[in-house]
Amino acid sequence: MRIRKMVLPVAGLGTRVLPATKVIPKEMLPLVDKPTLQYIVEAAIDAGIEEIIFVTSRSKRSIEDHFDAFPEMEQALERKGKLKELEQLRRIHEMATYVTVRQVEPRGLGHAILCAKEAVGNEPFAVNLGDNLVDASTPIWPRMMELHEQYGSSVLALFACEPEQISAYGIVDAEAVGGDTVKVKGLVEKPSPQAAPSNLAVDGFYIMTPDIFEILEKTPPSRRGEIEITDALATQARAGRCYGLRFAGIRYDTGTPLGLLTSSIALALQREEIAPDLYAYMRQVLGK
Ligand code: G1P
């Protein structure tokens, strides 16, 4: 079944990039001149997603505002003849239908996704966590959608991580199916490197079948007191209903100060109106 909806859990506090995130949601921090979240939404729209479901919390109102119309600004741009900017601004609210649901208590990622149950309904859907972007030249969503069509199951984006990163991710136990595809047999959230079943980590890109909601409703909190999406996906995996895409694209981690900076530089270097001056600046500071 075609994937039309994407859930974006954006209720988290973003403590890794304080003080920037004290009043600005981490998803609204810009990479060059665009909020991180807008890159994510644009990649979703390019892949055919029509409806974006934000799972927010009380400090995240600016996310809704960013994806809403801003008539005063649009009129001002029109008056000034700034038609390119006007077009850019209009596209943000015209490119998708946006729905917002609230997660009233921080009870974990699985719980955040469960908050979108009514908005999603009985159809498969995509989820993007927003801390990681993949380079636009990596067609991650179309390939994940193909795998979902082929197997009719949930699909996870996986990458081989360094041993010291293992305890920061969900790690899968998987068997090769061929090419870039694996069948996921099990998942563990943030294991120690010694206890990890592999070094294949779950990135923040998922396609889930709607039975995940029923599973989440029955999933008890983990040792860290959260309803983990990893535990619910492990239930699907044990039933043979979870596959993985091993993707080999450029990943931008926007969840840390260094990651934000390097992602911004990487994206700026792809912009022809910015790249030459940025190169010149870097050569100057590096003394080369
Ligand atoms: C979450 C998931 C984890 C996944 C990671 C990807 O962890 O729980 O399974 O590997 O995102 O970024 P978090 O980063 O929220 O701790």
Side-chain angles (χ1 to χ4, degrees), residues 241-253:
R241 289 187 293 107
C242 185
Y243 283 76
L245 164 69
R246 294 189 61 152
F247 80 98
I250 304 170
R251 300 173 65 244
Y252 300 130
D253 177 3

Side-chain angles (χ1 to χ4, degrees), residues 63-183:
I63 292 179
E64 284 167 72
D65 289 346
H66 183 76
F67 290 92
D68 194 2
F70 189 174
E72 300 91 316
M73 176 80 90
E74 288 175 21
Q75 283 154 16
L77 290 172
E78 202 158 15
R79 271 199 309 274
K80 291 180 182 164
K82 296 194 165 190
L83 300 183
K84 192 170 142 250
E85 289 82 355
L86 176 64
E87 176 51 35
Q88 275 175 348
L89 219 62
R90 283 205 176 128
R91 187 177 135 73
I92 300 174
H93 61 89
E94 286 173 358
M95 66 185 168
T97 303
Y98 301 99
V99 173
T100 303
V101 295
R102 283 279 178 108
Q103 183 186 26
V104 292
E105 284 175 281
R107 292 176 55 200
L109 180 57
H111 177 258
I113 293 170
L114 186 52
C115 292
K117 179 182 174 187
E118 302 304 325
V120 170
N122 190 27
E123 60 182 281
F125 60 101
V127 176
N128 192 314
L129 300 190
D131 280 354
N132 301 310
L133 295 180
V134 285
D135 192 272
S137 60
T138 315
I140 191 164
W141 285 121
R143 184 69 189 125
M144 288 184 69
M145 288 171 178
E146 264 172 27
L147 290 182
H148 168 72
E149 280 289 320
Q150 188 174 349
Y151 295 104
S153 67
S154 290
V155 181
L156 317 175
L158 304 172
F159 69 102
C161 76
E162 300 298 327
E164 60 276 13
Q165 295 180 312
I166 281 180
S167 57
Y169 291 102
I171 303 290
V172 300
D173 179 14
E175 73 189 21
V177 171
D180 57 6
T181 312
V182 296
K183 183 165 187 180

Side-chain angles (χ1 to χ4, degrees), residues 249-269:
I250 304 170
R251 300 173 65 244
Y252 300 130
D253 177 3
T254 58
T256 64
L258 180 63
L260 264 177
L261 194 58
T262 51
S263 309
S264 226
I265 292 171
L267 288 163
L269 291 175

Side-chain angles (χ1 to χ4, degrees), residues 109 129 131-132 168-170 189-190 202-204 206 224 228 230:
L109 180 57
L129 300 190
D131 280 354
N132 301 310
Y169 291 102
E189 182 64 17
K190 303 189 187 358
V202 180
D203 212 341
Y206 309 78
R224 58 174 180 162
E228 309 277 359
T230 303

Side-chain angles (χ1 to χ4, degrees), residues 4-8 40 44 49 51-53 126-128 141:
R4 302 185 307 128
K5 301 186 180 185
M6 177 178 282
V7 175
L8 294 173
I40 288 171
I49 298 284
E51 185 172 319
I52 301 289
I53 302 161
V127 176
N128 192 314
W141 285 121

